[in-house]
């Protein structure tokens, strides 16, 4: 690659990122260090990430375009298709000059496919083809969500996929939401919340160094909010890292025990607790068998899941969350919620949440938990506990679907159920 045009190593890193996500099922962020190991500059790493993320955001539309320009379909995992995706997404979505988009990927092709890649790219540019805006969801995802949530939700998801999501901040109790919204040039959708535009450098914003707030999507902030005021009572935050809910609970007056099996992710929690001046007892442990000497007044389980609810910010989940992954995640959630319930004191609450748009991971797990457990019942969430634009379902659970808060920038897909144990 020594004789390749400048920028070619960045495209190679993007190719490695796409291979990690699409062939090996690795999350895009987790693949960054390995794929970008040869890139020294931060801006090159950022551009490789941008190419890969935008390719994943528009993958189905890119493939339709490629298939319309070839006599015979290229294999789904062929290098020629991958390099065409990278070249086309740069020219059509990232506004990279055509010459730079194609000359930096051709050195990555082996032999004959170079002519094909160049011909398809040149024809597409010559014909003035454009990508749909907003992008289409992967067909399997669109059909699954259509069956679960309806056509309107699918169209709302498309709109969300095509727009940069805003950044939500959770404020420490006692902070004036309106004042911070003004200082940060944002809006507040509920007390203790500020929403700002995407693309801003977080660590440079007022209040960051003072620990006044932390980044947390408004939907992700709901489970801890629904725990209420702690008033010195005990709460267990299972699967706690990176710690947004731990900080919420500590700030609300709970004595928090935070458990997660990832030491690196818990290190981020320790840093955020130090920055915000909050405290929690932290344990590195597997949530499926964590033991405590005494039960807790409340347990919050934000369970591992397919994470399809965060597709706006992480479009790779749309291609990684296969039926098998969703099934395995749901099975794990059944085990986790059963164990979490055993750690709740009589009269205490259990809050179960997932950042998923799959009914098998939310509603069905909550329903299965109550079956055969007469000592537990739904503790209905009331509409005045939620921000305007999000409402509980008929039994008092919360399902944040695509389209919620659409006029204000949307929110992640989420499910929350609150249960109470009899005395």
């Amino acid at each position: 690659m020594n004789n390749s045009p400048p920028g070619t190593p960045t495209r190679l890193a993007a190719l490695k990122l796409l291979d990690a996500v699409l062939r090996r099922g690795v999350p895009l962020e987790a693949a960054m260090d390995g794929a970008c190991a040869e890139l020294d500059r931060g801006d090159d790493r950022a551009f490789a990430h941008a190419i890969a993320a935008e390719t994943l955001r528009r993958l189905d539309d890119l493939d339709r375009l490629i298939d319309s320009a070839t006599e015979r379909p290229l294999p789904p995992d062929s290098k020629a298709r991958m390099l065409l995706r990278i070249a086309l997404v740069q020219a059509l979505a990232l506004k990279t000059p055509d010459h730079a988009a194609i000359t930096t990927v051709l050195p990555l092709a082996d032999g004959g496919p170079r002519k094909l890649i160049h011909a398809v790219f040149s024809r597409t540019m010559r014909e003035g083809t454009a990508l749909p805006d907003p992008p289409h969801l992967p067909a399997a995802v669109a059909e699954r969500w259509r069956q679960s949530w309806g056509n309107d939700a699918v169209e709302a998801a498309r709109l969300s996929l095509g727009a940069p999501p805003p950044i939500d901040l959770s404020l420490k109790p006692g902070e004036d939401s309106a004042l911070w919204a003004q200082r940060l040039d944002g809006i507040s959708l509920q007390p203790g919340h500020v929403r700002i535009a995407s693309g801003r450098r977080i660590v440079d914003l007022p209040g960051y160094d003072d620990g006044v707030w932390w980044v947390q999507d408004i939907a992700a902030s709901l489970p801890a909010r629904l725990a209420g005021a702690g008033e010195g009572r005990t709460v267990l935050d299972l699967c706690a890292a990176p710690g947004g809910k731990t900080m919420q609970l500590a700030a609300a007056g709970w004595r928090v025990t935070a458990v997660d099996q990832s030491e690196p992710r818990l290190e981020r929690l320790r840093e955020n607790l130090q920055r915000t001046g909050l405290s929690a007892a932290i344990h590195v442990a597997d949530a499926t068998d964590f033991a405590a000497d005494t039960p807790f007044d409340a347990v919050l389980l934000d369970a591992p899941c397919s994470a399809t609810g965060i597709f706006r910010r992480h479009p790779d989940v749309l291609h990684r969350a296969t039926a098998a992954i969703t099934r395995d995640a749901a099975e794990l959630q059944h085990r986790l919620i059963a164990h979490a319930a055993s750690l709740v004191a009589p009269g205490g609450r259990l809050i179960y949440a997932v950042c998923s748009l799959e009914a098998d991971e939310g509603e069905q797990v909550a329903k299965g938990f109550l079956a055969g457990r007469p000592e537990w019942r739904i503790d209905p969430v009331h509409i005045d506990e939620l921000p305007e634009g999000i409402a509980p379902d008929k039994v008092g659970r919360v399902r944040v679907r695509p389209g919620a808060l659409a006029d204000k920038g949307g929110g992640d897909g989420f499910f929350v159920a609150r249960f109470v144990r009899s005395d």
Side-chain angles (χ1 to χ4, degrees), residues 66-375:
I66 292 167
D67 290 341
S68 71
T70 54
E71 293 183 5
R72 289 178 292 182
L74 297 171
D77 60 349
S78 70
K79 181 179 271 191
R81 181 181 290 274
M82 294 284 267
L83 292 175
L84 273 168
R85 290 165 172 168
I86 290 172
L88 289 169
V89 83
Q90 290 179 78
L92 299 177
L94 298 177
K95 308 307 179 186
T96 302
D98 296 359
H99 177 73
I102 189 62
T103 58
T104 51
V105 302
L106 286 178
L108 305 178
D110 301 320
R114 292 188 186 185
K115 292 182 179 180
L116 172 66
I117 292 168
H118 194 279
V120 171
F121 182 87
S122 299
R123 175 182 169 184
T124 302
M125 295 300 102
R126 188 168 57 250
E127 294 177 352
T129 306
L131 291 170
D133 191 19
H136 286 91
L137 297 169
V141 174
E143 183 55 30
R144 193 167 68 240
W145 291 356
R146 183 175 291 109
Q147 291 181 13
S148 295
W149 317 122
N151 290 327
D152 289 348
V154 172
E155 289 307 306
R158 280 192 64 197
L159 291 171
S160 296
L161 187 59
I167 300 170
D168 289 326
L169 309 176
S170 288
L171 303 176
K172 292 173 71 171
E175 297 293 340
D176 188 321
S177 302
L179 176 62
W180 277 105
Q182 183 178 19
R183 290 191 66 184
L184 294 166
D185 192 24
I187 60 173
S188 178
L189 302 183
Q190 62 179 347
H193 166 270
V194 171
R195 169 165 285 186
I196 62 176
S198 64
R200 301 176 67 179
R201 183 174 162 82
I202 296 298
V203 296
D204 293 338
L205 296 177
Y208 176 83
D209 289 335
D210 298 326
V212 173
W213 48 259
W214 53 89
V215 176
Q216 187 178 35
D217 187 84
I218 191 169
S221 74
L222 297 180
R225 283 178 174 270
L226 296 178
E231 300 174 339
R233 293 175 294 164
T234 61
V235 63
L236 173 64
D237 185 6
L238 286 174
C239 309
K245 298 173 184 64
T246 294
M247 290 186 285
Q248 281 182 280
L249 293 166
W254 291 90
R255 288 187 289 133
V256 187
T257 298
V259 174
D260 200 280
Q261 63 182 355
S262 171
E263 174 62 44
R265 283 163 57 83
L266 283 174
E267 187 56 37
R268 288 178 56 195
L269 171 55
R270 292 186 181 95
E271 293 170 358
N272 280 321
L273 287 172
Q274 183 176 12
R275 180 175 64 85
T276 56
L278 300 169
S279 62
I282 296 176
H283 297 269
V284 181
D286 187 335
T288 59
D289 58 13
F290 175 76
D293 294 333
T294 57
F296 295 86
D297 297 309
V299 173
L300 190 158
L301 170 63
D302 187 358
C305 65
S306 66
T308 49
I310 62 173
F311 72 94
R312 302 179 306 154
R313 290 174 286 117
H314 301 283
D316 55 303
V317 301
L318 297 172
H319 307 284
R320 295 190 296 104
T322 62
I325 286 176
T326 300
R327 182 179 62 249
D328 291 346
E331 291 176 358
L332 174 60
Q333 290 156 32
H334 282 292
R335 297 199 304 273
L336 281 169
I337 195 172
H339 182 60
S342 72
L343 299 170
V344 180
R349 281 174 162 173
L350 170 63
I351 299 170
Y352 158 70
V354 284
C355 58
S356 169
L357 281 164
E358 314 305 322
D360 287 347
E361 294 182 88
E363 287 82 352
Q364 293 305 314
V365 172
K367 182 179 178 180
F369 168 70
L370 289 176
R373 290 186 174 88
E375 72 276 21

